[in-house]
Amino acid sequence: MLTYPNAKTVARALSPDEPVILNRPHAARRAAQFFTQKFPGKVLYAVKANPAPDLIEVLWDAGVTHYDVASIAEVRLVRQTLPDADLCFMHPIKTPRAISEAYHKHGVLTFSLDSVEELEKIVDACRDPETGEAAEDLRLCVRIRVSSEYSELSLASKFGCDLIEAPELLQIARQHCDWLGVCFHVGSQAMTPFAFVQALDRTRAAIAQASVVIDMIDVGGGFPSIYPDMEPPPLEDYFAIIHQHFEALPIAYNAELWCEPGRALAAEYSSMIVKVERRRGTELYINDGAYGALYDAAHVSWRFPVEALEDDLRDADEDFAFYGPTCDDADYMAGPFALPGDIQAGDYIEVGMLGAYGAAMKTGFNGFGDAEVVVVTDEPMMSLFDGSRQRVASDNVVSLR
Ligand SMILES: *Cc1c(COP(=O)(O)O)cnc(C)c1O
């Protein structure tokens, strides 16, 4: 892959008509090292945030040995890229064939579930095909539903068993495995560590009610990255609070603590160069949008950082909205995105922080979606890991219980 110093040199060198994805392996490596060195447990990368094999290799080299995969395609992809990685199939609704292939062919032992039906499916799909005997090495993980109220993107309604069902499901699951975990997801971009406190409190209630031995607690993803107007407290505070509440749970003395960051590991990995095709007042028609890497900008009004890449723009910043390239009216991003007032058609813009749920969202709808991929060596437009941030107080959540 070609390497350039920064977005400006890429725009000058290529004058690209299609968007260009700019990858920063050093930023992903730094994020991974931060997590593997500071999180007080095991770190799984949630592959759906960005399944690019190049990124997965960077994370592996930085010490991330476990991968949270959610589909059989992700199982195959990670297994092909990293033959020795530990894969954990953490989607609570899987097909029997996917479970069977993951277990029998790819060595996947860890599966999540949130219902008795799924438990039975897993047990059946992992039987010895000749003898019909049940697998003895399954590692099961019961997903409980927790609140998403502290997160920017909810994950509270789709998956997870309710507190009322959790104790019985834990008891039944315990009969089918020697290693039982509890997992949850507090929602993506959790803006305070308290998100994890409420989730661990629910976990405690479920375990106490079930009175079964628990070997692992998986606090899921939700660790934030940094975006305009979304500056989270230090990740160290999240880690400290999680550790403190984990230690107080009624679980096996040697129980493991896991987390599954997607966004926090991947966000700084990629940005993108887009081209302004037309200007209409304060609306810019650009060549990526709702069906591309800017999916979240269109669908949940996510504000990514932007920077004009031209040297001849003189005016002060104004607020712009974007239209994407497809013929769909919904291909619209309200922003606002602050760019020089004299920006015009033909100019290039770098959109930052697209490594998680950005580059991975591109589709070919309407014939758009091609993008060249290059490596750049400069800093991401925003970073939680470059040592530049002032320590801000974590709004007293440590003392709340
Ligand atoms: C999406 C997902 C993650 C990653 O979430 P982030 O908010 O990106 O950290 C982790 N675990 C599971 C089960 C997920 O579905």
Side-chain angles (χ1 to χ4, degrees), residues 14 23 39 71 95 119 161 179 202 228 235 274 287 290 305 352 356 379:
L14 305 179
N23 287 340
F39 183 76
S71 61
T95 70
L119 173 64
C161 66
W179 189 94
R202 283 202 203 186
L235 287 172
V274 295
N287 56 358
E379 282 300 309

Side-chain angles (χ1 to χ4, degrees), residues 14-30:
L14 305 179
S15 302
D17 272 351
E18 312 288 349
V20 181
I21 300 288
L22 312 176
N23 287 340
R24 291 177 175 80
H26 69 284
R29 188 176 311 119
R30 194 166 57 191

Side-chain angles (χ1 to χ4, degrees), residues 26-349:
H26 69 284
R29 188 176 311 119
R30 194 166 57 191
Q33 285 166 347
F34 181 94
F35 266 84
T36 55
Q37 286 164 15
K38 300 201 173 179
F39 183 76
K42 194 163 284 174
V43 178
L44 285 72
Y45 172 54
V47 172
K48 80 167 185 292
N50 187 336
D54 292 332
L55 171 60
I56 289 170
E57 280 172 11
V58 168
L59 298 177
W60 172 264
D61 289 341
V64 177
T65 55
H66 286 56
Y67 292 78
D68 159 8
V69 284
S71 61
I72 192 62
E74 286 184 358
V75 171
R76 292 174 190 150
L77 173 91
V78 181
R79 180 52 78 226
Q80 198 174 8
T81 312
L82 305 175
D84 298 324
D86 238 294
L87 307 186
C88 304
F89 208 152
M90 302 307 265
H91 193 304
I93 304 176
K94 301 166 282 297
T95 70
R97 275 198 208 113
I99 298 166
S100 176
E101 181 183 330
Y103 177 79
H104 292 291
K105 185 166 173 204
H106 302 292
V108 178
L109 302 178
T110 308
F111 296 89
S112 81
L113 58 109
D114 63 3
S115 66
V116 175
E117 293 99 292
E118 187 72 10
L119 173 64
E120 288 168 353
K121 218 194 283 175
I122 295 168
V123 169
D124 274 340
C126 298
R127 285 183 193 284
D128 185 312
E130 258 129 59
T131 67
E133 270 175 57
E136 289 181 354
D137 52 359
L138 285 179
R139 297 157 68 97
L140 300 179
C141 199
V142 171
R143 173 136 168 199
I144 61 170
R145 188 199 306 280
V146 299
S147 166
S148 273
E149 65 188 301
Y150 303 98
S151 302
E152 295 292 327
L153 294 171
S154 173
L155 288 168
S157 41
K158 190 167 183 179
F159 298 135
C161 66
D162 287 320
L163 204 42
I164 200 77
E165 314 152 344
E168 195 186 352
L169 186 54
L170 284 167
Q171 288 164 352
I172 301 171
R174 184 78 255 184
Q175 294 162 16
H176 294 277
C177 62
D178 283 339
W179 189 94
L180 180 63
V182 176
C183 59
F184 54 75
H185 198 301
V186 300
S188 206
Q189 186 77 5
M191 290 303 289
T192 156
F194 189 65
F196 291 90
V197 175
Q198 58 88 16
L200 286 164
D201 278 349
R202 283 202 203 186
T203 305
R204 160 192 290 283
I207 297 171
Q209 193 74 39
S211 335
V212 295
V213 177
I214 296 297
D215 304 288
M216 189 276 283
I217 301 290
D218 177 353
V219 299
F223 297 92
S225 183
I226 180 169
Y227 303 89
D229 297 332
M230 273 194 268
E231 184 163 345
L235 287 172
E236 286 95 335
D237 291 7
Y238 290 72
F239 296 173
I241 288 170
I242 288 169
H243 190 236
Q244 189 183 320
H245 287 257
F246 165 76
E247 290 274 293
L249 290 174
I251 50 181
Y253 75 94
N254 59 348
E256 296 175 41
L257 174 63
W258 291 13
C259 68
E260 304 170 345
R263 179 184 302 282
L265 289 183
E268 297 181 20
Y269 180 58
S270 306
S271 63
M272 177 174 62
I273 296 177
V274 295
K275 186 179 180 187
V276 180
E277 302 294 355
R278 189 191 161 191
R279 174 170 178 174
R280 185 177 77 180
T282 56
E283 295 165 335
L284 302 179
Y285 292 69
I286 61 172
N287 56 358
D288 188 281
Y291 301 92
L294 294 176
Y295 181 98
D296 276 348
H299 294 273
V300 291
S301 301
W302 206 268
R303 289 190 52 219
F304 296 99
V306 294
E307 201 173 298
L309 297 176
E310 314 303 322
D311 287 329
D312 58 351
L313 301 177
R314 300 272 173 267
D315 291 4
D317 280 356
E318 287 176 26
D319 283 345
F320 289 91
F322 293 159
Y323 274 111
T326 71
C327 301
D328 181 355
D329 255 17
D331 198 354
Y332 173 75
M333 295 147 275
F337 302 99
L339 289 160
D342 50 346
I343 193 163
Q344 54 182 326
D347 290 349
Y348 290 101
I349 299 167

